[in-house]
Amino acid sequence: MSDSVLPAAAVAAPPKPRTRLPPAVALGIAWIGLMLAVALLAEVISPYAYTALDLRNRLSPPVFMDGNWAHVLGTDELGRDVLSRLFFSIRMSLLIAFGATIIGAAFGTTMGFLAAHFRGVVEQAVLTLVDFSASLPFLILALAVLAFFGNSLMLFIVLLGFHAWERYARIARGLAISAGAQGYAAAVRQLGATPLRVYWRHILPNIASTLIISMTLAFPEVILLESGLSFLGLGVQPPATSLGNMLGYGREYLTRAPWILLAPAFTIILTTLAISLVGDWLRDRVDPTLR
Amino acid sequence: MLRFIATRFARALVTIVMVVTFAFVVLRLSGDPALLIMSVDAPPEAIAAFRQAWGLDEPLWQQYLKYFGAIVQGDLGRSMRDGRDAIVLVTERIPATLALTLPALAIKLGIGIPAGVYAALHRNSLTDRLVMTTAVLGFTVPSFVLGLLLVLVFAVQLGWLPSGGQGTWRHAILPVITLGVGGAAVLARFTRSAMLEVLGQPYIRTASAKGVPWRLVVRGHALPNAAIPTVTIVGFMVGSLIAGAVVVESVFSWPGVGRLLVVAVANRDLAVVQCILLLVAATMVTSNLVVDLLYGALDPRLRQMRAGGAH
């Protein structure tokens, strides 16, 4: 895929110091910027509160379907403004995805470092856990956990954080083992640095670029997972709203008011697409070995 | 070779045991099922009777051992909602799920692999670009969005196909397409990069240079070598025949295992959730095992390396 975006980079033998940004990637970055701005400014730019009812204007269509300008993207079955709900949903979905990605990366990296540092039994235990996580579809595990712990936002974020942790663990373990064999880690250790300091201050910064790229690649997956679970009614619970949650409830009005569902649908598609494009491009530029 | 197979079997068993333990820990320790199933104002005697009936009044380690023993004997408990055997409830849904996932798997393999191979062989051509763009879209459009969009177009707007439920074969068309398209995209992308990787190898150049026709180079050298990484992802797809349709079944109100799981999770029906979890784990682990063994068969290097204990 990335080849279609950046055909020259793979072939060009002497890497140019500055390659031009491919247009698709530039658009992707712009879209991500827009989404971040919306998430940060949701209160300021929303025309209404996302829970505000306008009972006289229930299921009113968006402007481009002969609706009125009071509700640019129309309203839902309770007369809530779709645009305002969309803004707050973007905030919620991005918040969850950020939280979960960071938790996953932190947990996975820590486990990888532990395995690399202690080797032996600890390493075997971590690798068994990695195998276990990689061998089951995460959605099923998540559903099983949700079945009993029920739904709180914090728990939901932590749960999604366990998605893809095994990828970071694998990468961190491999890189830490090879970094440990390099001069700089041994040198700091000889100077008397504690293991914590060696890993945190010296090895982590050296492998950070690879980890950050893995995070970029896992981020859209977390968005899809969150929206999938919320769509099934098992993720974010009302009155809070997220992109998947909007889709799930909008589905009941598919025939009469498809706009409720289309707005979050296209937002999900464009956002995951944008992040994937940027992530692939970053990976190809910074670390082609990650493929 | 024997040692290789034995290690893989042991690994598969350990995974199954871990899933059983996981199911027990998560589903049993996180709340009192008696209070969740019974209404809050149920008399204390009724709650006590319920606990006794389900063995919830015993110490946890005893519950765990009992649970483990029961599973080994194939007893997966009864649904807390309607009292039927969970395993029966689940197995009677399997045919419906397979009715969706098997044709979808055929679509994935039938479209994904040829598209990926073609795109790799005609790199940077218009078709390659087209295949890869579609693949990216198929990868980023979640199945529930695709499913709902298909319903909107083909059921609501055009009225050609039913929007949900199970009845005739026409009911299966939209869910099968929804499932198949995403998987085909992933597979095409994966096959393409596996092929490109192989096509860049020196032995391909050597084969071409010594005058082997390109068609035979592709058939004899490129395809078999590219098949090795592709087998992994196909194995994953086969392993998710049971669990892969959770979301799509919900979109189309299809009465399969996935729909049952979602309902069971919403109702907190322990036994059914556990049963599905174990079933999914068993299919996943089995197909991973088969993939590992196939790897050994496809690639003699791996077989020797692992059997020799070098890995």
Side-chain angles (χ1 to χ4, degrees), chain A residues 1 3 129 131-132 135-137 140-141 143-144 147-150 224 227-228 231-232 247 251 254-255 261-262 272-273 276 280, chain B residues 11 15 19 22 27 30 36 123 132 136 140 142 144-145 148-149 151-152 156 189 192 243 250-251 261 265 268 270 277 281 284 288:
Chain A
M1 176 199 77
D3 301 293
L129 274 178
D131 271 2
F132 168 70
S135 67
L136 274 182
I140 305 291
L141 283 184
L143 281 172
F148 249 67
F149 286 98
L224 294 186
S227 46
F231 171 79
L232 294 174
L247 263 170
R251 166 189 170 198
L254 186 63
T255 34
L261 178 151
L262 289 175
T272 48
L273 186 63
S276 302
D280 276 339
Chain B
R11 269 226 148 118
T15 310
V19 174
F22 171 84
L27 301 182
S30 49
L36 291 166
R123 194 174 179 186
M132 289 327 285
V136 175
T140 47
F144 50 93
V145 170
L148 289 172
L149 291 179
V151 167
L152 198 56
V156 177
R189 195 179 158 179
R192 178 178 178 273
S250 294
V251 171
L261 176 62
V265 168
R268 304 196 158 179
L270 290 184
L277 188 66
M284 262 342 257
N288 282 348

Short mmCIF file of all heavy atoms in Angstrom, two decimals, chain A residues 1 3 129 131-132 135-137 140-141 143-144 147-150 224 227-228 231-232 247 251 254-255 261-262 272-273 276 280, chain B residues 11 15 19 22 27 30 36 123 132 136 140 142 144-145 148-149 151-152 156 189 192 243 250-251 261 265 268 270 277 281 284 288:
data_model
loop_
_atom_site.label_atom_id
_atom_site.label_comp_id
_atom_site.label_asym_id
_atom_site.label_seq_id
_atom_site.Cartn_x
_atom_site.Cartn_y
_atom_site.Cartn_z
N MET A 1 0.83 -1.19 0.00
CA MET A 1 0.00 0.00 0.00
C MET A 1 0.85 1.23 0.00
O MET A 1 0.69 2.13 -0.79
CB MET A 1 -0.88 0.01 1.24
CG MET A 1 -1.70 1.27 1.34
SD MET A 1 -2.28 1.50 3.01
CE MET A 1 -0.82 2.10 3.76
N ASP A 3 3.61 1.56 -1.05
CA ASP A 3 4.32 1.72 -2.30
C ASP A 3 3.54 2.58 -3.27
O ASP A 3 4.10 3.32 -4.07
CB ASP A 3 4.59 0.37 -2.93
CG ASP A 3 5.42 -0.50 -1.99
OD1 ASP A 3 6.59 -0.14 -1.75
OD2 ASP A 3 4.86 -1.45 -1.48
N LEU A 129 2.68 -15.47 27.72
CA LEU A 129 1.57 -14.51 27.71
C LEU A 129 1.40 -13.89 26.33
O LEU A 129 0.28 -13.69 25.86
CB LEU A 129 1.82 -13.41 28.75
CG LEU A 129 1.37 -13.71 30.17
CD1 LEU A 129 1.74 -12.55 31.08
CD2 LEU A 129 -0.13 -13.93 30.19
N ASP A 131 2.21 -15.24 23.47
CA ASP A 131 1.60 -16.27 22.62
C ASP A 131 0.10 -16.35 22.85
O ASP A 131 -0.69 -16.44 21.92
CB ASP A 131 2.21 -17.64 22.92
CG ASP A 131 3.43 -17.88 22.07
OD1 ASP A 131 3.78 -16.97 21.30
OD2 ASP A 131 4.03 -18.97 22.18
N PHE A 132 -0.26 -16.32 24.14
CA PHE A 132 -1.66 -16.41 24.53
C PHE A 132 -2.46 -15.26 23.91
O PHE A 132 -3.50 -15.47 23.28
CB PHE A 132 -1.75 -16.41 26.06
CG PHE A 132 -3.14 -16.22 26.59
CD1 PHE A 132 -4.08 -17.22 26.46
CD2 PHE A 132 -3.49 -15.05 27.24
CE1 PHE A 132 -5.35 -17.05 26.96
CE2 PHE A 132 -4.75 -14.88 27.74
CZ PHE A 132 -5.69 -15.88 27.59
N SER A 135 -2.87 -15.47 20.19
CA SER A 135 -3.58 -16.60 19.61
C SER A 135 -5.09 -16.47 19.72
O SER A 135 -5.82 -17.28 19.20
CB SER A 135 -3.12 -17.91 20.27
OG SER A 135 -3.55 -17.91 21.61
N LEU A 136 -5.56 -15.43 20.42
CA LEU A 136 -7.01 -15.28 20.53
C LEU A 136 -7.44 -13.95 19.92
O LEU A 136 -6.74 -12.95 20.06
CB LEU A 136 -7.42 -15.28 22.00
CG LEU A 136 -7.66 -16.62 22.65
CD1 LEU A 136 -8.09 -16.43 24.07
CD2 LEU A 136 -8.71 -17.40 21.89
N PRO A 137 -8.61 -13.94 19.27
CA PRO A 137 -9.10 -12.66 18.77
C PRO A 137 -9.39 -11.74 19.96
O PRO A 137 -10.09 -12.14 20.88
CB PRO A 137 -10.38 -13.01 18.02
CG PRO A 137 -10.52 -14.48 18.05
CD PRO A 137 -9.53 -15.04 19.01
N ILE A 140 -13.03 -11.08 21.29
CA ILE A 140 -13.68 -12.09 22.12
C ILE A 140 -13.24 -11.95 23.57
O ILE A 140 -14.06 -11.99 24.50
CB ILE A 140 -13.35 -13.50 21.59
CG1 ILE A 140 -13.72 -13.62 20.11
CG2 ILE A 140 -14.03 -14.56 22.40
CD1 ILE A 140 -15.18 -13.61 19.84
N LEU A 141 -11.93 -11.76 23.78
CA LEU A 141 -11.43 -11.57 25.14
C LEU A 141 -12.08 -10.34 25.76
O LEU A 141 -12.53 -10.37 26.91
CB LEU A 141 -9.91 -11.37 25.12
CG LEU A 141 -9.05 -12.62 24.94
CD1 LEU A 141 -7.58 -12.25 25.05
CD2 LEU A 141 -9.40 -13.65 25.98
N LEU A 143 -14.89 -8.94 25.03
CA LEU A 143 -16.31 -9.20 25.33
C LEU A 143 -16.44 -9.99 26.62
O LEU A 143 -17.30 -9.70 27.46
CB LEU A 143 -16.96 -9.96 24.18
CG LEU A 143 -17.35 -9.14 22.95
CD1 LEU A 143 -17.80 -10.03 21.83
CD2 LEU A 143 -18.46 -8.17 23.32
N ALA A 144 -15.56 -10.98 26.79
CA ALA A 144 -15.64 -11.81 27.99
C ALA A 144 -15.40 -10.96 29.23
O ALA A 144 -16.09 -11.10 30.24
CB ALA A 144 -14.62 -12.95 27.91
N ALA A 147 -18.31 -8.71 29.92
CA ALA A 147 -19.49 -9.44 30.40
C ALA A 147 -19.56 -9.34 31.90
O ALA A 147 -20.63 -9.24 32.47
CB ALA A 147 -19.39 -10.91 29.99
N PHE A 148 -18.42 -9.34 32.56
CA PHE A 148 -18.53 -9.30 33.99
C PHE A 148 -18.13 -8.04 34.69
O PHE A 148 -18.73 -7.68 35.67
CB PHE A 148 -17.93 -10.54 34.63
CG PHE A 148 -19.05 -11.31 35.18
CD1 PHE A 148 -19.97 -11.88 34.32
CD2 PHE A 148 -19.30 -11.32 36.54
CE1 PHE A 148 -21.08 -12.51 34.80
CE2 PHE A 148 -20.41 -11.95 37.02
CZ PHE A 148 -21.30 -12.55 36.16
N PHE A 149 -17.18 -7.35 34.17
CA PHE A 149 -16.80 -6.14 34.88
C PHE A 149 -17.75 -5.00 34.57
O PHE A 149 -17.68 -3.96 35.20
CB PHE A 149 -15.37 -5.75 34.54
CG PHE A 149 -14.35 -6.63 35.20
CD1 PHE A 149 -13.78 -7.67 34.50
CD2 PHE A 149 -14.01 -6.43 36.51
CE1 PHE A 149 -12.86 -8.50 35.10
CE2 PHE A 149 -13.08 -7.25 37.12
CZ PHE A 149 -12.50 -8.29 36.41
N GLY A 150 -18.63 -5.21 33.60
CA GLY A 150 -19.58 -4.15 33.28
C GLY A 150 -18.86 -2.99 32.65
O GLY A 150 -17.75 -3.14 32.14
N LEU A 224 -11.16 1.38 15.79
CA LEU A 224 -12.13 0.44 15.23
C LEU A 224 -12.69 -0.48 16.31
O LEU A 224 -13.88 -0.80 16.33
CB LEU A 224 -11.50 -0.39 14.11
CG LEU A 224 -11.10 0.38 12.86
CD1 LEU A 224 -10.63 -0.57 11.78
CD2 LEU A 224 -12.27 1.21 12.34
N SER A 227 -15.08 1.54 18.48
CA SER A 227 -16.36 1.81 17.84
C SER A 227 -17.14 0.52 17.64
O SER A 227 -18.36 0.52 17.73
CB SER A 227 -16.18 2.59 16.54
OG SER A 227 -15.17 2.05 15.76
N GLY A 228 -16.43 -0.59 17.39
CA GLY A 228 -17.12 -1.86 17.24
C GLY A 228 -17.84 -2.27 18.52
O GLY A 228 -19.02 -2.61 18.50
N PHE A 231 -20.63 0.08 19.21
CA PHE A 231 -21.70 -0.22 18.26
C PHE A 231 -22.56 -1.37 18.77
O PHE A 231 -23.78 -1.35 18.67
CB PHE A 231 -21.10 -0.57 16.90
CG PHE A 231 -22.10 -1.09 15.91
CD1 PHE A 231 -22.93 -0.22 15.24
CD2 PHE A 231 -22.19 -2.44 15.65
CE1 PHE A 231 -23.85 -0.70 14.33
CE2 PHE A 231 -23.11 -2.93 14.75
CZ PHE A 231 -23.94 -2.06 14.09
N LEU A 232 -21.91 -2.39 19.36
CA LEU A 232 -22.65 -3.53 19.88
C LEU A 232 -23.39 -3.18 21.17
O LEU A 232 -24.09 -4.01 21.73
CB LEU A 232 -21.70 -4.70 20.15
CG LEU A 232 -21.05 -5.32 18.93
CD1 LEU A 232 -20.03 -6.36 19.34
CD2 LEU A 232 -22.09 -5.96 18.03
N LEU A 247 -23.27 5.35 15.82
CA LEU A 247 -23.63 4.42 14.74
C LEU A 247 -24.64 3.39 15.24
O LEU A 247 -25.63 3.10 14.57
CB LEU A 247 -22.39 3.68 14.29
CG LEU A 247 -21.67 4.19 13.07
CD1 LEU A 247 -20.35 3.47 12.94
CD2 LEU A 247 -22.52 3.95 11.84
N ARG A 251 -28.49 3.30 13.81
CA ARG A 251 -28.87 2.19 12.96
C ARG A 251 -30.37 1.92 12.99
O ARG A 251 -30.97 1.51 12.00
CB ARG A 251 -28.08 1.01 13.49
CG ARG A 251 -28.48 -0.32 13.03
CD ARG A 251 -27.68 -1.27 13.86
NE ARG A 251 -28.14 -2.61 13.68
CZ ARG A 251 -27.87 -3.58 14.52
NH1 ARG A 251 -27.12 -3.33 15.58
NH2 ARG A 251 -28.31 -4.78 14.32
N LEU A 254 -32.11 3.85 10.31
CA LEU A 254 -31.43 3.73 9.03
C LEU A 254 -32.32 4.13 7.86
O LEU A 254 -31.89 4.84 6.95
CB LEU A 254 -30.96 2.28 8.86
CG LEU A 254 -30.09 1.97 7.66
CD1 LEU A 254 -28.80 2.74 7.75
CD2 LEU A 254 -29.79 0.49 7.60
N THR A 255 -33.57 3.70 7.89
CA THR A 255 -34.44 3.99 6.76
C THR A 255 -34.94 5.43 6.77
O THR A 255 -34.97 6.08 5.74
CB THR A 255 -35.68 3.06 6.77
OG1 THR A 255 -36.03 2.81 8.12
CG2 THR A 255 -35.36 1.76 6.08
N LEU A 261 -26.36 8.21 11.06
CA LEU A 261 -25.37 7.15 11.00
C LEU A 261 -24.23 7.51 10.04
O LEU A 261 -23.08 7.14 10.28
CB LEU A 261 -26.13 5.91 10.54
CG LEU A 261 -25.53 4.59 10.29
CD1 LEU A 261 -26.59 3.58 10.59
CD2 LEU A 261 -25.13 4.50 8.85
N LEU A 262 -24.56 8.22 8.99
CA LEU A 262 -23.54 8.48 7.97
C LEU A 262 -22.45 9.41 8.48
O LEU A 262 -21.28 9.22 8.16
CB LEU A 262 -24.19 9.07 6.71
CG LEU A 262 -25.03 8.06 5.94
CD1 LEU A 262 -25.75 8.72 4.76
CD2 LEU A 262 -24.15 6.92 5.42
N THR A 272 -9.42 6.66 10.44
CA THR A 272 -8.55 5.48 10.41
C THR A 272 -7.70 5.48 9.15
O THR A 272 -6.52 5.14 9.19
CB THR A 272 -9.36 4.18 10.49
OG1 THR A 272 -10.42 4.25 9.54
CG2 THR A 272 -9.95 3.97 11.86
N LEU A 273 -8.31 5.90 8.04
CA LEU A 273 -7.57 5.95 6.78
C LEU A 273 -6.39 6.92 6.90
O LEU A 273 -5.25 6.59 6.55
CB LEU A 273 -8.51 6.40 5.66
CG LEU A 273 -7.96 6.38 4.25
CD1 LEU A 273 -7.60 4.97 3.86
CD2 LEU A 273 -8.98 6.94 3.26
N SER A 276 -3.68 5.55 9.19
CA SER A 276 -2.97 4.44 8.56
C SER A 276 -1.98 4.95 7.52
O SER A 276 -0.83 4.48 7.45
CB SER A 276 -3.93 3.48 7.88
OG SER A 276 -4.84 2.98 8.80
N ASP A 280 1.96 4.35 7.89
CA ASP A 280 2.72 3.59 6.91
C ASP A 280 3.88 4.40 6.36
O ASP A 280 4.98 3.91 6.17
CB ASP A 280 1.81 3.16 5.75
CG ASP A 280 1.05 1.90 6.10
OD1 ASP A 280 1.51 1.18 6.99
OD2 ASP A 280 0.01 1.65 5.48
N ARG B 11 2.55 -26.51 23.58
CA ARG B 11 2.22 -25.09 23.55
C ARG B 11 0.72 -24.89 23.40
O ARG B 11 0.12 -24.06 24.10
CB ARG B 11 2.90 -24.46 22.32
CG ARG B 11 4.26 -23.92 22.63
CD ARG B 11 4.33 -22.55 21.99
NE ARG B 11 5.18 -21.68 22.75
CZ ARG B 11 6.29 -21.14 22.24
NH1 ARG B 11 6.66 -21.41 21.02
NH2 ARG B 11 6.99 -20.32 22.97
N THR B 15 -1.89 -23.05 26.04
CA THR B 15 -2.78 -21.94 25.69
C THR B 15 -4.21 -22.25 26.10
O THR B 15 -4.89 -21.39 26.68
CB THR B 15 -2.73 -21.67 24.17
OG1 THR B 15 -1.36 -21.56 23.79
CG2 THR B 15 -3.45 -20.40 23.82
N VAL B 19 -6.57 -20.23 28.71
CA VAL B 19 -7.88 -19.66 28.39
C VAL B 19 -8.92 -20.08 29.42
O VAL B 19 -9.72 -19.27 29.90
CB VAL B 19 -8.34 -20.08 26.97
CG1 VAL B 19 -9.75 -19.61 26.70
CG2 VAL B 19 -7.39 -19.51 25.94
N PHE B 22 -8.24 -18.12 32.48
CA PHE B 22 -8.66 -16.74 32.23
C PHE B 22 -10.18 -16.61 32.36
O PHE B 22 -10.69 -15.72 33.05
CB PHE B 22 -8.20 -16.34 30.83
CG PHE B 22 -8.75 -15.02 30.36
CD1 PHE B 22 -8.12 -13.84 30.71
CD2 PHE B 22 -9.88 -14.96 29.55
CE1 PHE B 22 -8.62 -12.63 30.27
CE2 PHE B 22 -10.38 -13.76 29.11
CZ PHE B 22 -9.75 -12.58 29.48
N LEU B 27 -14.56 -14.36 34.79
CA LEU B 27 -16.01 -14.45 34.89
C LEU B 27 -16.48 -14.77 36.31
O LEU B 27 -17.60 -14.48 36.66
CB LEU B 27 -16.54 -15.49 33.90
CG LEU B 27 -16.20 -15.20 32.44
CD1 LEU B 27 -16.80 -16.25 31.54
CD2 LEU B 27 -16.69 -13.83 32.02
N SER B 30 -15.26 -11.43 39.34
CA SER B 30 -15.50 -10.00 39.15
C SER B 30 -16.84 -9.53 39.69
O SER B 30 -17.16 -8.36 39.62
CB SER B 30 -15.39 -9.67 37.68
OG SER B 30 -16.16 -10.58 36.96
N LEU B 36 -26.57 -10.61 40.23
CA LEU B 36 -26.78 -10.05 38.90
C LEU B 36 -27.97 -10.70 38.21
O LEU B 36 -28.71 -10.05 37.48
CB LEU B 36 -25.53 -10.24 38.05
CG LEU B 36 -24.34 -9.40 38.50
CD1 LEU B 36 -23.07 -9.89 37.83
CD2 LEU B 36 -24.59 -7.94 38.16
N ARG B 123 3.61 -4.59 -10.68
CA ARG B 123 3.84 -3.55 -9.70
C ARG B 123 3.77 -2.16 -10.33
O ARG B 123 4.29 -1.94 -11.42
CB ARG B 123 5.21 -3.73 -9.06
CG ARG B 123 5.35 -2.91 -7.83
CD ARG B 123 6.65 -3.22 -7.17
NE ARG B 123 6.77 -2.37 -5.99
CZ ARG B 123 7.83 -2.30 -5.24
NH1 ARG B 123 8.87 -3.01 -5.54
NH2 ARG B 123 7.86 -1.51 -4.21
N MET B 132 -4.51 -1.90 -4.57
CA MET B 132 -4.00 -1.45 -3.29
C MET B 132 -4.91 -0.39 -2.66
O MET B 132 -5.10 -0.38 -1.45
CB MET B 132 -2.58 -0.92 -3.43
CG MET B 132 -1.56 -2.02 -3.68
SD MET B 132 -1.95 -3.58 -2.86
CE MET B 132 -1.53 -3.17 -1.18
N VAL B 136 -6.66 -0.78 0.91
CA VAL B 136 -6.57 0.16 2.03
C VAL B 136 -7.97 0.48 2.54
O VAL B 136 -8.22 0.50 3.74
CB VAL B 136 -5.85 1.44 1.61
CG1 VAL B 136 -5.87 2.45 2.74
CG2 VAL B 136 -4.43 1.14 1.22
N THR B 140 -9.58 -0.18 6.24
CA THR B 140 -9.92 0.87 7.19
C THR B 140 -11.42 1.04 7.40
O THR B 140 -11.82 1.66 8.37
CB THR B 140 -9.34 2.24 6.75
OG1 THR B 140 -9.63 2.43 5.38
CG2 THR B 140 -7.85 2.29 6.97
N PRO B 142 -14.58 -0.22 8.81
CA PRO B 142 -14.96 -1.29 9.72
C PRO B 142 -16.17 -2.06 9.19
O PRO B 142 -16.98 -1.51 8.45
CB PRO B 142 -15.30 -0.58 11.03
CG PRO B 142 -15.53 0.84 10.66
CD PRO B 142 -14.76 1.10 9.41
N PHE B 144 -18.91 -3.06 10.47
CA PHE B 144 -20.28 -2.61 10.75
C PHE B 144 -20.65 -1.41 9.89
O PHE B 144 -21.79 -1.27 9.49
CB PHE B 144 -20.49 -2.31 12.24
CG PHE B 144 -19.46 -1.43 12.87
CD1 PHE B 144 -19.65 -0.07 12.94
CD2 PHE B 144 -18.31 -1.97 13.37
CE1 PHE B 144 -18.70 0.74 13.53
CE2 PHE B 144 -17.35 -1.16 13.96
CZ PHE B 144 -17.55 0.19 14.04
N VAL B 145 -19.66 -0.57 9.56
CA VAL B 145 -19.95 0.56 8.66
C VAL B 145 -20.26 0.03 7.26
O VAL B 145 -21.26 0.39 6.65
CB VAL B 145 -18.78 1.55 8.63
CG1 VAL B 145 -18.99 2.57 7.53
CG2 VAL B 145 -18.62 2.23 9.97
N LEU B 148 -23.66 -1.64 7.19
CA LEU B 148 -24.78 -0.70 7.23
C LEU B 148 -24.90 0.06 5.91
O LEU B 148 -26.01 0.33 5.44
CB LEU B 148 -24.62 0.27 8.40
CG LEU B 148 -24.84 -0.38 9.77
CD1 LEU B 148 -24.48 0.57 10.89
CD2 LEU B 148 -26.29 -0.82 9.91
N LEU B 149 -23.75 0.40 5.31
CA LEU B 149 -23.81 1.10 4.02
C LEU B 149 -24.42 0.19 2.95
O LEU B 149 -25.24 0.63 2.14
CB LEU B 149 -22.41 1.55 3.58
CG LEU B 149 -21.78 2.67 4.42
CD1 LEU B 149 -20.39 3.02 3.90
CD2 LEU B 149 -22.66 3.92 4.43
N VAL B 151 -26.55 -2.21 3.49
CA VAL B 151 -27.98 -2.27 3.79
C VAL B 151 -28.67 -1.03 3.24
O VAL B 151 -29.72 -1.11 2.59
CB VAL B 151 -28.23 -2.39 5.30
CG1 VAL B 151 -29.70 -2.14 5.63
CG2 VAL B 151 -27.82 -3.75 5.80
N LEU B 152 -28.04 0.12 3.48
CA LEU B 152 -28.63 1.38 3.05
C LEU B 152 -28.84 1.40 1.54
O LEU B 152 -29.90 1.79 1.04
CB LEU B 152 -27.70 2.54 3.46
CG LEU B 152 -28.30 3.92 3.50
CD1 LEU B 152 -29.51 3.95 4.41
CD2 LEU B 152 -27.26 4.92 3.96
N VAL B 156 -32.38 -0.68 1.54
CA VAL B 156 -33.26 0.46 1.73
C VAL B 156 -33.53 1.20 0.42
O VAL B 156 -34.67 1.40 0.03
CB VAL B 156 -32.68 1.42 2.79
CG1 VAL B 156 -33.57 2.64 2.95
CG2 VAL B 156 -32.52 0.70 4.11
N ARG B 189 -3.40 -7.37 0.37
CA ARG B 189 -2.29 -6.53 0.79
C ARG B 189 -1.13 -7.39 1.28
O ARG B 189 0.03 -7.16 0.95
CB ARG B 189 -2.80 -5.63 1.91
CG ARG B 189 -1.91 -4.49 2.22
CD ARG B 189 -2.53 -3.67 3.31
NE ARG B 189 -1.51 -2.89 3.97
CZ ARG B 189 -1.73 -2.05 4.95
NH1 ARG B 189 -2.94 -1.89 5.40
NH2 ARG B 189 -0.75 -1.39 5.49
N ARG B 192 0.45 -9.48 -1.58
CA ARG B 192 1.25 -8.63 -2.44
C ARG B 192 2.62 -8.39 -1.82
O ARG B 192 3.65 -8.55 -2.50
CB ARG B 192 0.54 -7.29 -2.66
CG ARG B 192 1.34 -6.33 -3.49
CD ARG B 192 0.54 -5.05 -3.71
NE ARG B 192 1.28 -4.06 -4.46
CZ ARG B 192 2.10 -3.18 -3.90
NH1 ARG B 192 2.31 -3.20 -2.60
NH2 ARG B 192 2.73 -2.30 -4.64
N ALA B 243 -15.56 -17.21 15.38
CA ALA B 243 -15.63 -15.96 16.14
C ALA B 243 -15.60 -14.73 15.27
O ALA B 243 -15.79 -13.63 15.75
CB ALA B 243 -14.47 -15.90 17.12
N SER B 250 -24.40 -9.22 14.26
CA SER B 250 -25.24 -8.26 14.97
C SER B 250 -25.84 -7.24 14.01
O SER B 250 -26.99 -6.85 14.16
CB SER B 250 -24.42 -7.54 16.04
OG SER B 250 -24.05 -8.46 17.02
N VAL B 251 -25.05 -6.83 13.02
CA VAL B 251 -25.57 -5.86 12.05
C VAL B 251 -26.77 -6.45 11.32
O VAL B 251 -27.78 -5.77 11.12
CB VAL B 251 -24.48 -5.46 11.03
CG1 VAL B 251 -25.07 -4.63 9.91
CG2 VAL B 251 -23.36 -4.69 11.72
N LEU B 261 -23.21 -14.61 21.50
CA LEU B 261 -22.19 -14.10 22.42
C LEU B 261 -22.55 -12.69 22.89
O LEU B 261 -22.51 -12.39 24.08
CB LEU B 261 -20.82 -14.10 21.74
CG LEU B 261 -19.67 -13.50 22.55
CD1 LEU B 261 -19.45 -14.29 23.83
CD2 LEU B 261 -18.39 -13.45 21.75
N VAL B 265 -23.30 -11.72 26.64
CA VAL B 265 -22.50 -10.73 27.36
C VAL B 265 -23.41 -9.66 27.95
O VAL B 265 -23.28 -9.30 29.12
CB VAL B 265 -21.44 -10.09 26.44
CG1 VAL B 265 -20.82 -8.88 27.10
CG2 VAL B 265 -20.36 -11.09 26.10
N ARG B 268 -25.08 -11.11 30.79
CA ARG B 268 -24.12 -11.69 31.74
C ARG B 268 -24.42 -13.16 32.00
O ARG B 268 -24.44 -13.61 33.15
CB ARG B 268 -24.14 -10.89 33.02
CG ARG B 268 -23.86 -9.44 32.75
CD ARG B 268 -23.51 -8.70 33.97
NE ARG B 268 -22.76 -7.50 33.61
CZ ARG B 268 -22.32 -6.63 34.49
NH1 ARG B 268 -22.52 -6.82 35.76
NH2 ARG B 268 -21.65 -5.58 34.10
N LEU B 270 -23.02 -16.26 32.22
CA LEU B 270 -21.67 -16.81 32.38
C LEU B 270 -21.35 -18.02 31.54
O LEU B 270 -20.37 -18.05 30.80
CB LEU B 270 -21.49 -17.28 33.83
CG LEU B 270 -21.41 -16.28 34.92
CD1 LEU B 270 -21.13 -17.03 36.20
CD2 LEU B 270 -20.31 -15.33 34.57
N LEU B 277 -16.09 -18.72 24.56
CA LEU B 277 -14.67 -18.38 24.70
C LEU B 277 -13.80 -19.62 24.48
O LEU B 277 -12.81 -19.59 23.74
CB LEU B 277 -14.43 -17.79 26.08
CG LEU B 277 -13.05 -17.20 26.34
CD1 LEU B 277 -12.85 -15.98 25.47
CD2 LEU B 277 -12.90 -16.83 27.80
N ALA B 281 -11.27 -20.38 21.45
CA ALA B 281 -9.87 -20.67 21.74
C ALA B 281 -9.46 -21.99 21.12
O ALA B 281 -8.39 -22.10 20.52
CB ALA B 281 -9.66 -20.71 23.25
N MET B 284 -9.08 -21.57 17.36
CA MET B 284 -7.90 -20.76 17.06
C MET B 284 -6.64 -21.57 17.26
O MET B 284 -5.75 -21.59 16.41
CB MET B 284 -7.85 -19.58 18.03
CG MET B 284 -8.37 -18.25 17.58
SD MET B 284 -8.60 -17.90 15.89
CE MET B 284 -7.26 -16.91 15.46
N ASN B 288 -3.87 -22.67 14.57
CA ASN B 288 -2.48 -22.26 14.72
C ASN B 288 -1.54 -23.46 14.68
O ASN B 288 -0.47 -23.41 14.09
CB ASN B 288 -2.26 -21.51 16.04
CG ASN B 288 -2.74 -20.09 15.95
OD1 ASN B 288 -3.01 -19.59 14.87
ND2 ASN B 288 -2.85 -19.45 17.09
#
